[in-house]
């Protein structure tokens, strides 16, 4: 077996190779003058199980994944497993309006072409893994996030909407704290409404946990509600930290005390490693 890291997920690939005690393939990656991507796998992976690790966000990382898959196939890998720490486009998982694509399905079908197995982490909706035309499984980073939060003296953990309640319920058991949810309505891609909910947050350390932070709108509104309810410290945590546009500014202005994400999308808030969730699925 060889672990092959794409440039979006090279650190996770290294973590996986250490945890599984299998070699990390040496690769050369560069961009041509016109910005097209070039990759070469230097190790001989012929007849080997190749495990390619690459987040499909932002867009250029998708092309890189396709090219790596092809390189592994051309090199004669006997089995190709694709680990997608953050599966981009997952939120367009249905046709909300006529004429729209199901982007998650389009991407899943293309990735399936050169893949014997796909592993992803906290997909936006669990049914997305059925879009792959090959064997696909998912794992959750919530236990690793909960272990990090356990050190922060958290009194209550919250889901920003009722749909995410199971995730926080699981975390609350690990942390040993209360759990609850906020009442969220999405007006459009940029605007959400959090209905005031009487939360018992006075003088408490509260963590809000979501699968994705994109524009930060959901979390910012939730933080404001909690602060209105007298919360002492508010931590926001997510599996996939995209932090689009001025998301960080929004979170800080809302009074956020700490931002936490995993390394599924590498950024300065990647405080939680996801390799421990992924490795059992590779074995
Ligand atoms: C939505 O269903 C997701 O779970 C997240 O709540 C959402 O993607 C967060 O987006 P934003 O940060 O733009 O509010």
């Amino acid at each position: 077996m060889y672990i092959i890291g794409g440039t979006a997920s090279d650190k996770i690939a290294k973590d996986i190779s250490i945890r599984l005690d299998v070699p990390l393939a040496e690769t050369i990656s560069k961009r041509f003058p016109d910005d097209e991507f070039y990759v070469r796998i230097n190790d001989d992976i012929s007849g080997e199980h190749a495990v390619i690790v690459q987040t499909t966000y932002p867009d250029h990382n998708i092309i890189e994944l396709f090219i790596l898959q092809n390189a592994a196939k051309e090199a004669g890998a006997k089995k190709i497993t694709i680990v997608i720490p953050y599966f981009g486009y997952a939120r367009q998982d249905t046709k909300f309006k006529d004429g729209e694509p199901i982007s998650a399905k389009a991407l899943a079908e293309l990735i399936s072409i050169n893949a014997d197995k796909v592993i992803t982490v906290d997909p936006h909706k669990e049914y997305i893994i059925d879009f792959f035309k090959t064997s696909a499984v998912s794992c959750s980073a919530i236990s690793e996030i909960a272990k990090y939060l356990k050190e922060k003296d958290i009194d209550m953990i919250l889901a920003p909407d009722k749909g995410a309640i199971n995730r926080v319920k699981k975390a609350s058991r690990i942390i040993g704290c209360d759990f609850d949810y906020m009442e969220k309505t999405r007006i459009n891609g940029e605007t959400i409404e959090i209905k005031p909910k009487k939360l018992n947050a006075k003088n408490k350390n509260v963590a809000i946990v979501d699968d994705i932070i994109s524009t930060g709108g959901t979390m910012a509104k939730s933080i404001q509600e909690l602060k209105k309810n007298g919360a002492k410290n508010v931590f926001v945590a997510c599996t996939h930290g995209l932090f689009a546009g001025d998301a960080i500014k929004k979170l800080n202005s809302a009074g956020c005390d700490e931002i936490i994400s995993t390394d599924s999308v590498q950024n300065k808030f990647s405080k939680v490693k996801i390799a421990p969730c992924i490795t059992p699925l590779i074995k």
Side-chain angles (χ1 to χ4, degrees), residues 86 91 124-125 160-161 164 167 184 186 188-192 210-220 242-244 247 250-251:
Y86 170 58
R91 284 171 294 173
H124 183 55
K125 297 266 169 53
D161 59 56
R167 200 176 287 136
K184 165 178 155 181
R186 180 165 286 283
N188 57 42
E190 293 281 305
T191 322
I192 59 117
D210 207 351
D211 58 340
I212 302 173
I213 298 180
S214 179
T215 65
T218 302
M219 285 297 196
L242 311 184
F243 305 118
K250 256 189 233 169
L251 297 175

Side-chain angles (χ1 to χ4, degrees), residues 1-4 16 20 22-25 41 43-53 72-73 75-83 114-119 135 278-283:
M1 183 190 284
Y2 272 91
I3 310 296
I4 303 168
I16 292 173
L20 289 179
V22 296
L24 182 67
I41 302 166
D43 291 284
D44 178 10
I45 61 162
S46 160
E48 298 279 350
H49 177 188
V51 179
I52 301 173
V53 188
K73 187 168 180 179
K78 74 160 187 238
K79 182 178 176 187
I80 302 177
T81 292
I82 311 298
V83 174
N114 279 328
D116 298 291
K117 182 176 179 180
V118 173
I119 299 168
S135 148
I278 295 168
T279 42
L281 297 181
I282 298 174
K283 279 193 221 159

Side-chain angles (χ1 to χ4, degrees), residues 195-226:
K195 277 204 208 135
K197 187 168 189 270
K198 202 68 208 149
L199 290 164
N200 186 15
K202 201 162 172 52
N203 295 325
K204 290 192 172 161
N205 290 332
V206 185
I208 320 167
V209 180
D210 207 351
D211 58 340
I212 302 173
I213 298 180
S214 179
T215 65
T218 302
M219 285 297 196
K221 284 271 163 76
S222 306
I223 297 164
Q224 282 161 3
E225 275 309 310
L226 284 166

Side-chain angles (χ1 to χ4, degrees), residues 13-258:
K14 192 172 177 197
D15 289 344
I16 292 173
S17 94
I18 293 169
R19 294 183 77 87
L20 289 179
D21 195 22
V22 296
L24 182 67
E26 193 189 302
T27 55
I28 299 170
S29 342
K30 64 174 187 185
R31 295 219 163 251
F32 289 108
D34 56 7
D35 210 33
E36 287 185 355
F37 183 71
Y38 168 92
V39 73
R40 179 166 182 227
I41 302 166
N42 273 351
D43 291 284
D44 178 10
I45 61 162
S46 160
E48 298 279 350
H49 177 188
V51 179
I52 301 173
V53 188
Q54 175 77 335
T55 268
T56 58
Y57 173 88
D59 287 2
H60 63 264
N61 290 321
I62 301 172
I63 298 289
E64 189 180 322
L65 173 59
F66 291 153
I67 286 171
L68 272 168
Q69 285 178 270
N70 180 270
K73 187 168 180 179
E74 290 292 330
K78 74 160 187 238
K79 182 178 176 187
I80 302 177
T81 292
I82 311 298
V83 174
I84 310 172
Y86 170 58
F87 180 54
Y89 284 94
R91 284 171 294 173
Q92 183 73 26
D93 58 358
T94 190
K95 281 187 256 180
F96 298 99
K97 290 182 189 152
D98 287 345
E100 287 181 348
I102 304 176
S103 308
K105 195 174 183 183
L107 193 51
E109 288 181 356
L110 289 170
I111 292 168
S112 302
I113 293 171
N114 279 328
D116 298 291
K117 182 176 179 180
V118 173
I119 299 168
T120 191
V121 185
D122 285 332
H124 183 55
K125 297 266 169 53
E126 203 49 48
Y127 63 73
I128 289 168
I129 58 168
D130 296 333
F131 291 155
F132 290 94
K133 300 255 184 238
T134 188
S135 148
V137 286
S138 72
C139 58
S140 176
I142 195 65
S143 312
E144 295 303 309
I145 293 173
K147 282 185 213 159
Y148 180 91
L149 290 172
K150 199 173 162 63
E151 306 301 314
K152 300 281 169 178
D153 204 16
I154 301 292
D155 301 300
M156 176 162 64
I157 180 158
L158 282 181
D161 59 56
K162 204 175 176 181
I165 192 79
N166 284 339
R167 200 176 287 136
V168 297
K169 200 170 173 179
K170 189 171 174 190
S172 75
R173 277 192 229 116
I174 296 171
I175 300 169
C177 67
D178 294 335
F179 70 95
D180 208 333
Y181 64 92
M182 316 277 280
E183 283 166 6
K184 165 178 155 181
T185 317
R186 180 165 286 283
I187 313 293
N188 57 42
E190 293 281 305
T191 322
I192 59 117
E193 200 176 80
I194 298 280
K195 277 204 208 135
K197 187 168 189 270
K198 202 68 208 149
L199 290 164
N200 186 15
K202 201 162 172 52
N203 295 325
K204 290 192 172 161
N205 290 332
V206 185
I208 320 167
V209 180
D210 207 351
D211 58 340
I212 302 173
I213 298 180
S214 179
T215 65
T218 302
M219 285 297 196
K221 284 271 163 76
S222 306
I223 297 164
Q224 282 161 3
E225 275 309 310
L226 284 166
K227 292 276 172 171
K228 263 192 237 161
N229 276 271
K232 185 163 79 179
N233 291 304
V234 181
F235 301 79
V236 300
C238 64
T239 304
H240 312 299
L242 311 184
F243 305 118
D246 63 352
I248 306 299
K249 204 168 145 200
K250 256 189 233 169
L251 297 175
N252 288 333
S253 324
C256 181
D257 293 284
E258 187 177 337

